[in-house]
Amino acid sequence: MTRTDVASGVVRSSLPGVPEIDRLVFQTPDCFRLPREQISQLRPRLIREAVRFHRDSCPEYGSFLGQLGFDPDDIADERDLDRVPQFPASVYKRRPVTSTPPAEVVQTFHSSGTSGRLSSVPRDEATLQRLLGSIRAGLEMLEPLTGEGDPEDNVVLLNLGPPRSAAGSLWFSYVMTLVEILAPTHHYGTAATVRYAEAADDLAGVLAAGKRAGVIGSPLAVRRLAEYCLANNRTVAGGDAVFVMTGGGWKQPTGEELSRIELDTLLMKAFGVHDASQLRDAFNQVEMNSVLLECEQRRKHLPPWLYAVTRDPRDLAPLPRGAAGLLSFVDPTAGSFPCFVLSDDIGVVHEPGCPCGRTTETVEITRRVRRSQELGCALQTERLQAERQLADLLEADPGPRGSG
Amino acid sequence: MSAGQAGTERLWTTAADGRRVAVWRTSGGGAPGGPVVVLAAGFARRMRHVGAVALYLARNSAVVYRYDPLDHVGLSDGEIRDYTFTSSLSSMRAVVDLAVERERAAAVTLVAASLAGRVAYRLAGLDPRVAAVATLVGVVDVRRTLVAVLGADYTTYELAELPADVAFEQYRIDPRPLWLDHRDHGWTSIEGTIDDLRRTSAPVTNFWAADDDWVRPEDVERAFEEGTGGPRRLLELPFGQHDLSGNPVAARVVMRALTEVVVGDAVPGGQVADPSFEEIVELAVSERRAESAQLAEDLEGTRR
């Protein structure tokens, strides 16, 4: 609305207001230290709004809610968040489920699984920006590592993945390239290999130039760089000027999980870092829109907008904090798809109370689900029902959607 | 540069005192006929930080000249430690000279963010070639803003009492040149801003943010209500904060509205064309590299 002040002639008008989710993600410094009462109030409010939006914008999710008889207005407080209907991650493997018109989709991203069908998740700009916002918000946890001042001036990132031009729609690679917005970044990955020798040269070069170096990559790629440095007498005395950020799966090509303790020992030897707190891990998956970063205690903190609960794999009943179960997330930052997902990971959600002083819950990811042995009837039935509902809807309306 | 794609030329110009000002000219991607824009980033921000604004305006038919001021961060001569409003004014004026000459234009539109907004209000009152001004969270009461940022009102100190430097973000700023600039050229009071706006017959639009900790809405209201030398317009961003770039979702809304204000009827097809997410990301990354390359080249030149 535009109005003109008669006395002064000044014309006044107003732009659309900034949504609460964006104020929290982008405009709240120290959002990981908000008072608990504030988090308890804002989280249900943001999630209620997101569930309403996806009910009205995503036919598949709207139908899912209708069949379960769930009304978003029933979300009164945090205790109700366990009841928000979640899609099993497998639903995204059929075809993109979307809440946004195709023209607004920046890209449809795919998981990096090595077997079976891949998940496809469309993201629009606001959704991508909020993902990046979740990383920015978590950067304060890395501040002792990035040094004083602007990371743009002080830090060089060495990404063992491919550059954005080569990342394509592979989600993990794409997310790794987005860090380039935060600080100058070199990329060493190609479709087939990683240029470890060049990365080792640059690591030494960055340190010689008096800057801090952040090595970024999958646990396996980081391990291989460390092995290369050790095998070729290219170790560096990084001290407190090197940090490592891993992301992605911990599985080796053999199928065995990498040991974090062994990786710590290797990295400290190869990069000469002072303390294991310089070696951090991050968690995200294509069906989730917030990145969980580790604090100096190496605990993965939930951002204040994100709700996580573990569930009993046999009947999907919510488990108390501290109990291991199937991890599930309710993330209101995604506008382009309902980001309410039952993951394929076993883990634990811990109550707030991390010694770092941040006020949000922490999550421990234990391992991936071993499907056949562990998935209870309830989850298998739930999955089948959700997938069948989706198939029925798609049969009724087979038009294209979610391409990007 | 393909059709529909904006391109940037790297230029230099010279300020009245003979020092070099780095300028990037962005054009293309739309029908010709839009305004010539001189674009200034906020304090301690470089011209590459307003790349997305330049891209928006250029995509919608404007030709945009942005620059790093003297005695500031960025590619131009001088260090931010010695920042003054007067050298910032001299930089802006030099870029207007360059833009008018190169584009054979009679007039330019000034677009300026934060403290650079205060400089734009002054230049618009002095230079008839300024056809319009649009400011993003323009600072109208410098003294009050500096108190909010620095935690002390250094204008009330005696020169000899001033510290050798004060901290702003990761920079150290010498308050003494600023103090002298305040004494000699009247930059810091809201009354000075009102005087400048009264001298300005060109239309002036300010985008103000409701949750701005550094610029009070009532000061903006007062400056614009009393500084009525020409048409004045205020656009509110509800819940917005001073650092508009911190919220890229809100920044999109502001850049679209700014383009409508600045380009107006010259927007091709009457509908603002939005640069894509990937274009903006790519621009940010490539311009950071270009800046680093230039700095490295300058350093090499200094060593020789």
Side-chain angles (χ1 to χ4, degrees):
Chain A
M1 191 183 73
T2 300
R3 61 195 166 84
T4 304
D5 183 78
V6 178
S8 66
V10 176
V11 178
R12 291 179 171 81
S13 48
S14 190
L15 298 172
V18 179
E20 186 176 19
I21 184 72
D22 292 326
R23 298 204 298 274
L24 181 59
V25 173
F26 299 114
Q27 299 180 191
T28 310
D30 282 343
C31 69
F32 287 89
R33 296 179 189 272
L34 292 176
R36 279 305 307 168
E37 310 77 62
Q38 196 177 339
I39 295 173
S40 297
Q41 286 170 8
L42 64 85
R43 204 180 253 161
R45 195 164 63 230
L46 293 170
I47 288 173
R48 184 169 56 237
E49 195 170 320
V51 175
R52 268 193 210 130
F53 173 80
H54 292 292
R55 176 196 64 190
D56 299 340
S57 309
C58 175
E60 297 87 349
Y61 192 67
S63 168
F64 190 46
L65 256 57
Q67 293 191 21
L68 295 172
F70 184 84
D71 183 346
D73 290 334
D74 291 343
I75 301 173
D77 58 41
E78 269 199 304
R79 288 168 299 183
D80 299 318
L81 297 180
D82 290 344
R83 299 194 298 114
V84 172
Q86 294 162 307
F87 274 153
S90 60
V91 162
Y92 296 94
K93 295 185 197 304
R94 294 192 65 91
R95 63 185 291 179
V97 178
T98 183
S99 307
T100 200
E104 288 179 20
V105 172
V106 172
Q107 196 167 339
T108 295
F109 294 96
H110 299 99
S111 53
S112 45
T114 49
S115 61
R117 280 182 296 190
L118 303 180
S119 290
S120 296
V121 177
R123 281 182 162 86
D124 61 8
E125 179 172 330
T127 304
L128 279 171
Q129 290 284 16
R130 289 179 193 139
L131 170 107
L132 195 54
S134 77
I135 300 174
R136 267 186 208 278
L139 279 184
E140 59 91 4
M141 293 190 231
L142 306 181
E143 265 168 19
L145 307 180
T146 55
E148 278 185 19
D150 191 340
E152 276 207 317
D153 297 326
N154 305 332
V155 178
V156 176
L157 299 175
L158 312 176
N159 174 25
L160 302 179
R164 203 169 48 261
S165 56
S169 65
L170 194 61
W171 179 239
F172 171 70
S173 300
Y174 186 86
V175 171
M176 290 302 205
T177 67
L178 281 180
V179 297
E180 191 164 20
I181 297 172
L182 308 173
T185 306
H186 300 302
H187 307 276
Y188 304 96
T190 65
T193 185
V194 180
R195 300 188 304 275
Y196 292 112
E198 197 181 323
D201 281 348
D202 286 353
L203 176 58
V206 168
L207 295 174
K211 297 206 170 193
R212 290 182 180 238
V215 179
I216 294 174
S218 67
L220 192 60
V222 168
R223 188 183 84 172
R224 285 182 173 154
L225 175 62
E227 286 170 343
Y228 175 87
C229 291
L230 288 165
N232 294 278
N233 280 332
R234 308 282 283 280
T235 58
V236 291
D240 59 3
V242 173
F243 64 94
V244 176
M245 176 63 71
T246 51
W250 282 75
K251 216 178 246 183
Q252 303 181 70
T254 58
E256 279 176 44
E257 295 262 326
L258 269 169
S259 153
R260 191 160 187 192
I261 294 171
E262 284 174 23
L263 185 62
D264 286 350
T265 307
L266 193 68
L267 295 179
M268 291 176 83
K269 211 166 149 188
F271 302 154
V273 299
H274 283 152
D275 194 284
S277 71
Q278 292 166 246
L279 315 171
R280 309 276 182 94
D281 189 47
F283 177 74
N284 176 257
Q285 56 191 53
V286 70
E287 304 91 353
M288 189 176 155
N289 203 52
S290 298
V291 177
L292 309 190
L293 296 172
E294 287 183 347
C295 68
E296 55 272 28
Q297 300 290 327
R298 305 219 289 176
R299 298 189 189 191
K300 293 181 177 72
H301 279 262
L302 292 182
W305 55 82
L306 179 67
Y307 185 73
V309 61
T310 50
R311 295 183 181 277
D312 187 328
R314 292 165 303 185
D315 59 6
L316 298 182
L319 296 170
R321 297 272 164 83
L326 195 63
L327 276 168
S328 73
F329 298 95
V330 182
D331 187 345
T333 62
S336 56
F337 67 100
C339 192
F340 316 130
V341 63
L342 283 166
S343 80
D344 287 335
D345 291 294
I346 298 287
V348 180
V349 180
H350 294 285
E351 285 284 10
C354 178
C356 74
R358 292 176 184 84
T359 54
T360 65
E361 302 85 347
T362 57
V363 168
E364 198 181 320
I365 289 92
T366 314
R367 59 180 166 78
R368 302 287 284 180
V369 164
R370 292 181 204 109
R371 289 167 192 275
S372 51
Q373 301 100 322
E374 284 178 334
L375 289 185
C377 286
L379 181 56
Q380 298 206 31
T381 307
E382 177 98 358
R383 275 190 171 169
L384 284 172
Q385 282 173 346
E387 289 180 16
R388 198 170 298 134
Q389 279 169 11
L390 189 56
D392 290 348
L393 278 161
L394 295 174
E395 248 172 56
D397 173 20
R401 70 187 74 189
S403 59
Chain B
M1 178 174 64
S2 64
Q5 196 175 31
T8 296
E9 277 180 83
R10 284 150 182 85
L11 308 169
W12 292 95
T13 193
T14 309
D17 64 1
R19 291 192 293 164
R20 297 182 321 155
V21 179
V23 184
W24 288 355
R25 176 189 183 275
T26 304
S27 67
V36 176
V37 173
V38 170
L39 169 61
F43 186 67
R45 298 291 176 270
R46 301 161 161 121
M47 61 176 147
R48 66 178 170 81
H49 290 130
V50 286
V53 178
L55 187 58
Y56 248 97
L57 294 169
R59 175 61 46 83
N60 289 279
S61 84
V63 177
V64 184
Y65 285 74
R66 59 197 147 118
Y67 64 100
D68 290 326
L70 297 166
D71 303 327
H72 194 254
V73 293
L75 300 173
S76 299
D77 287 347
E79 301 297 328
I80 193 170
R81 178 180 177 80
D82 303 315
Y83 178 85
T84 63
F85 285 88
T86 299
S87 66
S88 195
L89 176 70
S90 168
S91 315
M92 190 181 276
R93 199 196 300 263
V95 180
V96 171
D97 290 343
L98 176 73
V100 165
E101 186 189 326
R102 273 186 64 106
E103 303 303 323
R104 295 190 175 88
V108 299
T109 297
L110 300 180
V111 175
S114 188
L115 274 190
R118 177 66 190 91
V119 178
Y121 301 144
R122 170 72 53 95
L123 185 60
L126 297 172
D127 192 332
R129 296 173 301 173
V130 176
V133 180
T135 50
L136 299 166
V137 291
V139 171
V140 293
D141 186 337
V142 173
R143 189 190 61 80
R144 196 185 292 277
T145 297
L146 291 180
V147 170
V149 173
L150 303 175
D153 184 358
Y154 292 112
T155 63
T156 62
Y157 285 43
E158 293 297 323
L159 180 61
E161 294 172 347
L162 290 169
D165 57 31
V166 293
F168 176 75
E169 297 181 346
Q170 72 265 43
Y171 304 109
R172 307 301 301 185
I173 316 289
D174 183 346
R176 291 165 294 191
L178 270 172
W179 189 94
L180 292 168
D181 205 26
H182 153 67
R183 185 194 65 189
D184 298 339
H185 302 289
W187 285 103
T188 50
S189 71
I190 188 168
E191 288 77 16
T193 303
I194 292 168
D195 286 346
D196 285 336
L197 285 171
R198 281 185 182 147
R199 274 194 285 272
T200 306
S201 58
V204 182
T205 302
N206 184 37
F207 291 77
W208 63 279
D211 288 351
D212 190 333
D213 291 334
W214 292 356
V215 180
R216 294 197 317 172
E218 51 268 46
D219 292 337
V220 174
E221 294 274 346
R222 183 183 160 206
F224 274 64
E225 281 173 6
E226 296 181 23
T228 49
R232 301 288 177 259
R233 185 172 176 196
L234 292 174
L235 273 145
E236 179 193 0
L237 179 62
F239 304 112
Q241 60 183 6
H242 191 79
D243 182 8
L244 293 173
S245 65
N247 181 341
V249 178
R252 271 274 188 198
V253 173
V254 172
M255 287 190 287
R256 203 171 287 138
L258 176 75
T259 303
E260 282 172 2
V261 166
V262 171
V263 183
D265 294 340
V267 168
Q271 181 84 24
V272 170
D274 297 298
S276 70
F277 173 75
E278 286 296 336
E279 280 178 289
I280 291 175
V281 170
E282 193 49 47
L283 184 81
V285 170
S286 65
E287 291 198 337
R288 186 204 283 132
R289 285 200 196 111
E291 185 195 63
S292 297
Q294 182 68 57
L295 287 168
E297 202 177 291
D298 288 355
L299 190 64
E300 193 61 29
T302 312
R303 281 184 188 144
R304 278 197 220 109

